[in-house]
Amino acid sequence: MVKKINETVYYVGVNDRRIHRFENFWPMPHGVSYNSYVIKDDKITLIDTVEVSKFDKFLSNIIEVIGDRDIDYLVVNHMEPDHSGSIANIVMKYPNIKIIGNATTMPMIEGYYKQHDNLITVNADTVLDLGYHKLVFAPIPMVHWPESMVTYDTTDKILFSNDAFGTFGTLDGGIFDDELDIEFYIDEMRRYYSNIVGKYGMPVQKALKALGGLEIKVIAPSHGPVWRSDISRVIGLYDKWSKCEAEAGVVIIFGSMYGYTEEAAEIIAEAVVEAGVKNVRIYDASKTHLSYLLSEIWKYKGVVIGSCAYNGSSFTPIKNLCSSLELYMPKNKYLGIFGGMSWCGGGVSTLQKFAENIKWEMVAPAVEIKYTTKDSDISKLKEIGTNIAGLVIKG
Ligand code: FEO
């Protein structure tokens, strides 16, 4: 799709609706866009490329904008192959192109794509003069890789932000925030944030501070909508998510083989609602992919995790969830735990070890049910619900 951002800047990105799993792991029911931009100036400049399987469409978009002109510069903001994958093909088509990256980018370009010539290393003091447009560059390491940077057009105040402020979901018909159903993209943005960037909250905070002084009229990320109307909202959301500031709500995630642990989850949820919290979501970890569970955990302050006993430990999907959380380490959560011990136990005690590692504020009591739920269990499960509701309401 080719769209004008303004008179001299064009969107030339592509949609990928065939993709099943982003990074070969995260489900893509709504696909994803790989955004790229052409600045048509005295010097023609391409900002990032696209995943290589979409190269043909990408090239035809570029040619639609520049015709038979050459491309002078390719700015590489990020080396993950969803953006860098077409570098070698672009160089083959435009052999005189100069590739712009920072000192951390260059060994990656040489290593991944065997490009050794026409490389220009930039830093925070570099100004790339295209004629009308002047580009500057700011490193944002670990948002999402160590070489990640943003490019800022000081003339038209456009921030080419790469992964930052990106979303999952293809761009269907339009590219701007004010011409799309933005609530859909906000949900997909939180899923993208939590799945892809969520581990790097501190670097995101540093990046936001570094970019804080810029006058930004347009944010042009490498996935999802181009933000021109509600810029403060998306910056605010990134600020909030990177600080793990969450909404008053509770997500209950259970692992259950035969339904007893699910039944306990329902009892907790009822108590949460009775205590006045409307935002309650229950998920079966065997069915709902980690991608959505992480997104919901980022959304809500309260997290309750339940597991049946399985081989003397917690149930495999719950173990996977907990080990991912220990990797991502989101903060500022309240945690309740529960589960069934059946004949062997181990589900709840494994969750207790997780609780020690993750260091969220624990909500009493931890409940372990033997065989089936008894009245004494019900009152303790309700206590989890009431207590966590009280805490999330308090903030
Ligand atoms: Fe969209 Fe980290 O690549």
Side-chain angles (χ1 to χ4, degrees):
M1 181 163 50
V2 172
K3 294 273 181 184
K4 267 188 172 183
I5 307 278
N6 63 29
E7 288 310 306
T8 50
V9 181
Y10 294 77
Y11 176 93
V12 292
V14 294
N15 286 312
D16 190 347
R17 295 187 181 84
R18 291 195 171 186
I19 187 171
H20 286 271
R21 298 281 171 126
F22 186 79
E23 295 182 341
N24 205 18
F25 183 66
W26 310 105
M28 288 290 102
H30 309 292
V32 68
S33 71
Y34 312 117
N35 301 350
S36 169
Y37 305 89
V38 164
I39 303 174
K40 206 172 167 184
D41 204 331
D42 295 346
K43 300 286 185 187
I44 300 252
T45 300
L46 183 62
I47 309 285
D48 291 312
T49 75
V50 303
E51 206 273 335
V52 67
S53 65
K54 295 291 170 186
F55 177 72
D56 287 352
K57 177 64 187 158
F58 177 48
L59 182 61
S60 81
N61 289 350
I62 293 170
I63 290 171
E64 190 178 325
V65 174
I66 67 170
D68 58 6
R69 283 186 67 183
D70 214 357
I71 302 178
D72 295 282
Y73 298 118
L74 165 61
V75 174
V76 178
N77 280 321
H78 180 25
M79 279 298 294
E80 191 167 7
D82 52 331
H83 309 295
S84 71
S86 293
I87 287 178
N89 286 351
I90 284 288
V91 171
M92 259 195 284
K93 170 72 183 169
Y94 300 99
N96 299 319
I97 198 167
K98 295 183 178 60
I99 304 176
I100 310 284
N102 58 53
T104 316
T105 318
M106 292 311 172
M108 293 188 178
I109 291 181
E110 298 193 59
Y112 279 115
Y113 301 114
K114 316 282 183 285
Q115 301 299 318
H116 308 293
D117 302 320
N118 290 334
L119 305 180
I120 297 179
T121 304
V122 295
N123 58 40
D125 297 323
T126 308
V127 178
L128 187 68
D129 191 343
L130 309 183
Y132 173 72
H133 296 270
K134 319 277 187 267
L135 302 183
V136 295
F137 310 92
I140 53 165
M142 302 319 297
V143 188
H144 155 226
W145 280 11
E147 86 301 350
S148 291
M149 69 177 191
V150 296
T151 298
Y152 178 64
D153 171 17
T154 60
T155 311
D156 288 344
K157 318 295 182 206
I158 302 173
L159 181 72
F160 298 99
S161 63
N162 201 269
D163 274 351
F165 312 112
T167 79
F168 291 137
T170 51
L171 292 170
D172 298 343
I175 63 165
F176 293 107
D177 55 349
D178 51 45
E179 59 183 0
L180 296 165
D181 169 15
I182 214 58
E183 297 313 316
F184 162 78
Y185 288 101
I186 294 290
D187 270 351
E188 285 293 82
M189 189 181 181
R190 192 186 56 254
R191 191 161 72 91
Y192 183 90
Y193 179 86
S194 59
N195 294 184
I196 308 298
V197 192
K199 179 172 167 48
Y200 308 110
M202 288 292 285
V204 170
Q205 275 295 306
K206 276 190 194 160
L208 289 173
K209 284 191 177 67
L211 303 176
L214 295 179
E215 181 191 356
I216 299 171
K217 290 188 176 160
V218 174
I219 295 178
S222 290
H223 301 289
V226 173
W227 306 90
R228 67 179 177 188
S229 292
D230 219 349
I231 287 171
S232 58
R233 182 178 181 194
V234 284
I235 292 177
L237 286 171
Y238 251 61
D239 185 39
K240 185 174 139 179
W241 293 333
S242 56
K243 290 192 283 198
C244 287
E245 290 176 2
E247 296 174 26
V250 178
V251 55
I252 303 170
I253 301 166
F254 68 85
S256 182
M257 280 186 290
Y258 295 103
Y260 298 111
T261 306
E262 178 173 12
E263 187 181 82
E266 301 267 17
I267 293 165
I268 295 168
E270 279 180 43
V272 173
V273 171
E274 279 164 15
V277 175
K278 290 182 181 172
N279 286 326
V280 184
R281 299 281 181 278
I282 301 179
Y283 291 99
D284 183 339
S286 294
K287 178 183 168 191
T288 303
H289 193 280
L290 175 68
S291 174
Y292 296 92
L293 302 180
L294 287 177
S295 186
E296 290 293 80
I297 287 170
W298 242 272
K299 187 173 185 181
Y300 295 122
K301 284 179 193 161
V303 180
V304 184
I305 302 179
S307 179
C308 58
Y310 197 70
N311 292 330
S313 183
S314 56
F315 197 33
T316 307
I318 291 293
K319 276 181 98 129
N320 291 344
L321 168 67
C322 292
S323 101
S324 291
L325 287 170
E326 286 178 27
L327 182 68
Y328 282 69
M329 288 303 267
K331 304 203 181 326
N332 306 328
K333 306 284 173 196
Y334 300 113
L335 174 65
I337 58 174
F338 68 101
M341 69 180 293
S342 185
W343 50 265
C344 64
V348 174
S349 60
T350 305
L351 286 176
Q352 265 158 342
K353 284 182 203 130
F354 160 73
E356 285 161 24
N357 295 338
I358 199 86
K359 298 185 176 65
W360 295 344
E361 186 172 334
M362 277 298 289
V363 178
V367 180
E368 187 168 40
I369 300 156
K370 189 164 189 181
Y371 302 129
T372 58
T373 312
K374 295 168 282 301
D375 286 348
S376 57
D377 299 318
I378 290 172
S379 61
K380 285 187 205 155
L381 291 166
K382 285 190 168 177
E383 223 181 311
I384 296 178
T386 308
N387 290 345
I388 202 163
L391 287 166
V392 302
I393 291 168
K394 207 168 72 177

